[in-house]
Amino acid sequence: MAEGDHHDLKALVSSTKRDFLVKNNGDQVKIDNLSGKIIGLYFSASWCGPCLRFTPNLVDVYAELIPKGDFEVIFVSLDKNEEAFNGYFSKMPWLAIPFSDSETKDHLKEVFKINGIPHLVILDADGKVLTDEGVGIIGEYRAEGYPFTPERIQEMKDQEAAARREQSLKSILVSPSRDFLISNGGKQVPVLELEGKMVGLYFALSSFRSSLEFTPKLIELYEKLKEREESFEVVLIPLDEDEESFNECFGGMPWLALPVKDKTCEKLVRYFELSTLPTLVIIGPDGKTLNSNVAEVVEEHGVQAYPFTPEKFAELAALEKAKQEAQTLESILVVGDRDFVIGKDGATIPVPELVGKNILLYFSAHWCPPCRAFLPKMIKVYHEIKEKDDAFEVIFISSDKDQVSFDEFFSTMPWLALPFGDERKKFLSRKFKVQGIPSVIAIGPTGKTITKDARELLMNHGADAYPFTSERLEEIEAQLVEMAKGWPEKVKHALHEEHELVLTRRKSYRCNGCNEGGNGWSFYCEECDFDLHPKCALEENKGAKDDVMEEENGDDGLHQAPKGGWTCDGDVCCKA
């Protein structure tokens, strides 16, 4: 199925025993009644989280378009039982294939090659496929995309491009039904009053922890700029679903906002391609976008970041570089009277006693499955490195939710830690831009950062990666090159007779021969995503097996165990 394909709608959605569709009240609607209408075939299910988020948007669009009289949606359910179907369909104002007609539903899934949901195929009045990307189009253009033809979508894209070229504060914040913003006291403030000012558009969600943590920093910046009588304003773009949450969020803010659930909020999310929270978009006095997100720099530098120009950011970057060059262990681990870490039984170890050592800052938490999976690997590597060099230590920096969880997790570790709830954790997370856990930062004997990717090095090379410097990595690279000398570039193997296997550098894989993890070298078929350890691939080659086995099983640390099977989002638990 492709855009432009034609279908007989009646043949698609009917059966030999049925010439009707159903409404959620049980009424039957003859399929012939759909003649001449634009039809959306909506493949969805109640167990699907993305479907549950998309369906209300489709309901809103449907409500706007149904008065036109030439648009209809047909629900094609992928629910597991009729009770689930009925509960989900009860929230839909459109038609559906009866749940009992599994044959028609299966046929539709096959015709339109449904590999994921939600999925919305839109057909024109003649049964021509206008698009099979209806979910994305509805999400981006809502009812304005109607009648969803390629020509209309291109027209919308052209309009958006023109709007970007001619952007002004008015074009961003004013809608056909509203030319004002609101204060937290309910006062209406004309958008016109902000023209000529620098404006920060603050996208926030009251239930989002990162938004809650950022708001006080933005308030501090805002109030300092007001004291200096700078021509700067903030406008909250609320992403809350209900007025109560919005009022609670907005009540403590000293700036203006768009009304909650205003359609302009959704438009701006799409317009600025929002991808993270918090986001603070800076609009210059000329109404043009000066910066798409300064939240991170505000969090790090506060009022020093103003006026958010490229020149100011270059100045801050130079300051940051100077800080990094002057970095010592004390400068990152000592804050006020917090000049210690803890060991077992609550023993305190002064930070100065760790100066001159190689330090790993280990960001982790008991609640995080990838962290629990990674910990045994980390403990093994720790003991192996300590045997080689006692001038080495690990400091656990916890993201646990309570003292009990912290104590339980820390009790399994042989190293040091920051106390639970220590204020230095936030500082270190921000400084090293820790976005997910487990994360491992390597600090050298001088106190300078060696690498922020020590976890990947540990996973790939184990203790052999120590001390994590570029020089050590070059040595490892040389070992890998030496290891492969004399190996064939390609091999044929009985386990994969379809194609030759090519000697390939692979960071991490699971051998399809012995089912063990590997990294470094693999005999690999890219087309089939098929890996064999060199020891497995070459075992049929006489004279090669023993040498390969000796190198692969030696103590060079290049061949490591596979990653743990737990996942949160990939192999890390990322911040909400």
Side-chain angles (χ1 to χ4, degrees):
M1 188 277 298
E3 185 179 299
D5 285 356
H6 281 79
H7 298 276
D8 181 335
L9 181 67
K10 185 171 183 178
L12 272 178
V13 301
S14 65
S15 70
T16 55
K17 300 178 181 179
R18 177 182 52 78
D19 64 352
F20 60 87
L21 299 166
V22 295
K23 300 186 75 170
N24 60 20
N25 62 2
D27 288 351
Q28 297 179 359
V29 176
K30 293 289 185 180
I31 295 171
D32 287 340
N33 291 348
L34 302 180
S35 178
K37 291 190 176 185
I38 294 172
I39 301 296
L41 296 175
Y42 181 41
F43 298 83
S44 186
S46 63
W47 49 260
C48 164
C51 298
L52 296 178
R53 290 192 290 273
F54 175 72
T55 296
N57 294 336
L58 186 56
V59 169
D60 290 343
V61 170
Y62 183 84
E64 283 192 55
L65 295 181
I66 203 65
K68 293 180 179 292
D70 59 355
F71 179 70
E72 190 54 77
V73 174
I74 300 173
F75 174 37
V76 185
S77 174
L78 276 71
D79 275 305
K80 307 299 184 184
N81 57 67
E82 192 161 8
E83 183 180 358
F85 166 81
N86 289 334
Y88 191 32
F89 187 38
S90 69
K91 303 171 185 175
M92 300 177 181
W94 44 73
L95 307 175
I97 305 289
F99 180 79
S100 58
D101 191 353
S102 57
E103 185 176 338
T104 298
K105 292 186 294 183
D106 289 343
H107 177 65
L108 287 168
K109 286 189 290 181
E110 183 179 341
V111 168
F112 294 103
K113 297 181 173 59
I114 305 304
N115 295 314
I117 53 174
H119 192 97
L120 180 63
V121 180
I122 301 178
L123 311 175
D124 73 5
D126 297 320
K128 177 183 174 182
V129 176
L130 295 175
T131 181
D132 67 346
E133 297 179 354
V135 170
I137 288 172
I138 293 292
E140 188 163 358
Y141 300 111
R142 309 297 293 241
E144 293 179 59
Y146 182 82
F148 311 114
T149 60
E151 294 77 15
R152 176 55 180 162
I153 300 308
Q154 186 58 52
E155 181 184 353
M156 294 291 293
K157 289 179 178 179
D158 292 343
Q159 289 175 2
E160 189 173 274
R164 290 183 186 279
R165 290 192 300 270
E166 301 164 9
Q167 177 181 303
S168 67
L169 203 60
K170 180 179 177 181
S171 73
I172 294 173
L173 295 178
V174 172
S175 72
S177 61
R178 177 192 46 75
D179 63 356
F180 59 86
L181 304 166
I182 59 173
S183 70
N184 58 17
K187 179 184 176 183
Q188 295 183 0
V189 178
V191 171
L192 187 65
E193 291 190 11
L194 273 62
E195 289 193 355
K197 292 185 176 183
M198 181 175 289
V199 176
L201 303 180
Y202 178 33
F203 293 83
L205 182 62
S206 63
S207 61
F208 206 72
R209 186 182 65 183
S210 296
S211 295
L212 294 174
E213 292 176 350
F214 178 71
T215 296
K217 296 180 175 64
L218 184 56
I219 290 175
E220 181 182 357
L221 174 139
Y222 180 83
E223 292 178 342
K224 285 181 178 178
L225 291 178
K226 287 296 182 184
E227 288 173 8
R228 286 163 37 177
E229 299 184 347
E230 298 285 357
S231 186
F232 177 72
E233 190 53 72
V234 171
V235 176
L236 174 67
I237 313 299
L239 304 180
D240 293 284
E241 293 293 331
D242 63 274
E243 195 159 350
E244 184 178 349
S245 299
F246 165 73
N247 290 335
E248 184 178 347
C249 175
F250 188 40
M253 296 178 179
W255 43 69
L256 304 173
L258 285 176
V260 66
K261 298 181 76 172
D262 190 291
K263 289 185 178 180
T264 301
C265 297
E266 294 180 6
K267 183 190 81 171
L268 293 178
V269 165
R270 299 192 301 272
Y271 185 82
F272 289 107
E273 298 177 352
L274 188 73
S275 61
T276 187
L277 290 178
T279 286
L280 182 63
V281 178
I282 299 299
I283 307 299
D286 60 356
K288 308 300 182 187
T289 303
L290 188 61
N291 195 292
S292 60
N293 190 8
V294 299
E296 188 174 294
V297 74
V298 167
E299 196 164 29
E300 195 161 339
H301 298 285
V303 75
Q304 284 183 290
Y306 187 79
F308 314 113
T309 59
E311 294 77 15
K312 172 56 72 171
F313 288 156
E315 178 186 325
L316 294 175
L319 289 173
E320 186 60 31
K321 184 178 180 182
K323 279 185 182 180
Q324 290 175 0
E325 290 174 351
Q327 178 178 300
T328 64
L329 194 65
E330 286 109 322
S331 73
I332 61 174
L333 285 183
V334 175
V335 176
D337 60 356
R338 290 276 173 168
D339 61 353
F340 62 90
V341 294
I342 60 172
K344 298 304 175 185
D345 302 319
T348 59
I349 296 88
V351 170
E353 290 186 11
L354 302 175
V355 171
K357 293 188 175 185
N358 283 294
I359 303 291
L360 293 182
L361 303 178
Y362 173 44
F363 296 82
S364 187
H366 184 268
W367 54 261
C368 163
C371 296
R372 297 197 300 271
F374 177 65
L375 182 58
K377 173 80 171 180
M378 185 79 172
I379 292 173
K380 179 177 182 291
V381 167
Y382 175 80
H383 289 305
E384 290 174 357
I385 295 175
K386 287 289 275 188
E387 285 181 9
K388 295 190 294 184
D389 185 0
D390 193 52
F392 167 71
E393 196 50 77
V394 173
I395 300 173
F396 170 44
I397 301 170
S398 172
S399 293
D400 280 304
K401 307 298 184 185
D402 54 65
Q403 184 75 49
V404 172
S405 298
F406 169 84
D407 291 340
E408 181 181 346
F409 204 34
F410 184 44
S411 69
T412 65
M413 302 174 186
W415 44 68
L416 309 175
L418 289 185
F420 174 73
D422 196 292
E423 63 186 24
R424 289 172 288 178
K425 186 261 179 185
K426 286 185 180 178
F427 165 75
L428 292 168
S429 295
R430 187 169 64 250
K431 176 177 179 58
F432 294 110
K433 296 179 172 59
V434 176
Q435 298 298 321
I437 55 175
S439 181
V440 184
I441 312 296
I443 307 296
T446 64
K448 292 183 175 58
T449 304
I450 296 174
T451 178
K452 298 178 184 178
D453 299 318
R455 175 178 178 258
E456 183 176 354
L457 297 178
L458 290 169
M459 291 300 299
N460 289 340
H461 309 300
D464 203 49
Y466 184 77
F468 315 107
T469 59
S470 56
E471 293 80 10
R472 179 57 191 144
L473 296 182
E474 289 173 3
E475 291 174 2
I476 291 174
E477 175 66 22
Q479 290 176 16
L480 283 167
V481 172
E482 185 66 28
M483 175 188 291
K485 283 184 178 179
W487 290 355
E489 292 185 6
K490 297 180 180 181
V491 299
K492 289 287 291 183
H493 198 280
L495 292 177
H496 193 73
E497 296 179 343
E498 297 93 329
H499 309 102
E500 283 188 306
L501 302 175
V502 180
L503 183 62
T504 307
R505 290 291 297 275
R506 299 273 282 158
K507 280 189 174 182
S508 179
Y509 63 89
R510 182 167 293 278
C511 176
N512 292 92
C514 64
N515 202 36
E516 293 181 2
N519 55 70
W521 290 109
S522 165
F523 280 93
Y524 180 57
C525 174
E526 183 176 7
E527 184 176 344
C528 304
D529 194 25
F530 183 95
D531 286 280
L532 284 182
H533 285 143
K535 67 177 181 180
C536 296
L538 300 177
E539 63 185 4
E540 295 179 343
N541 294 358
K542 293 182 179 179
K545 178 179 177 181
D546 293 340
D547 293 339
V548 175
M549 290 290 286
E550 183 178 345
E551 291 207 68
E552 286 281 316
N553 294 327
D555 61 357
D556 56 25
L558 298 175
H559 180 73
Q560 299 301 330
K563 294 180 180 180
W566 291 96
T567 61
C568 281
D569 180 8
D571 57 357
V572 297
C573 283
C574 292
K575 287 184 178 179

